[in-house]
Amino acid sequence: MTPFTRLALDTTMAAFLMPYPHNVVSYDTQARNTHTAETTRRHALKDYEGSLKLVQALECKLEVTTCWVPEDVEWQRVGRLVANRKYQRAVDRLEGLVVARIFELMKMNRAGTGEFQ
């Protein structure tokens, strides 16, 4: 289950259950709005159920017996790995920019003329 799917389902359920004001222009407008909300809700529910079935099938295939919770050691270890990955990607991007700048300076025969040598 992805957060996006859950958010889409919650949003459409809220729109479906939201009462309409009594001063709406006509019954046709109310019927059209209701039909649109019902269709959107139905599509979001099918997407959510499909994603849930995919997750359940993957859990069976990987023989997952218990779900992680934030207090689990494994959850915390993976959280640190994700944080380190984000940091490493930022460092790699910065390194690429520095190398690109050095090549630009080399093209102009100005490499090594910066403030830091």
Side-chain angles (χ1 to χ4, degrees):
M1 169 177 52
T2 63
F4 174 73
T5 305
R6 183 65 185 176
L7 177 65
L9 178 62
D10 291 343
T11 303
T12 54
M13 288 296 285
F16 180 72
L17 297 175
M18 182 175 35
Y20 290 102
H22 296 290
N23 60 357
V24 175
V25 178
S26 69
Y27 173 77
D28 291 337
T29 303
Q30 287 181 351
R32 191 173 333 126
N33 290 341
T34 300
H35 179 70
T36 302
E38 287 175 352
T39 302
T40 304
R41 182 194 63 85
R42 189 176 63 249
H43 290 170
L45 191 57
K46 284 185 179 184
D47 290 345
Y48 174 78
E49 289 170 353
S51 296
L52 185 60
K53 287 180 183 179
L54 288 173
V55 168
Q56 290 170 344
L58 182 61
E59 285 178 347
C60 289
K61 192 173 191 176
L62 296 175
E63 298 176 359
V64 174
T65 56
T66 59
C67 293
W68 287 355
V69 292
E71 294 80 25
D72 288 340
V73 175
E74 199 66 14
W75 175 296
Q76 294 169 3
R77 184 185 68 78
V78 171
R80 285 190 298 274
L81 283 175
V82 169
N84 287 341
R85 180 178 182 274
K86 288 180 181 178
Y87 172 76
Q88 189 60 49
R89 287 187 65 177
V91 169
D92 291 344
R93 173 112 169 98
L94 181 61
E95 182 182 16
L97 292 172
V98 168
V99 169
R101 181 67 175 151
I102 289 172
F103 281 134
E104 288 176 12
L105 291 173
M106 284 175 52
K107 284 182 188 178
M108 297 186 306
N109 290 325
R110 296 187 55 155
T113 59
E115 184 178 328
F116 302 103
Q117 295 182 8

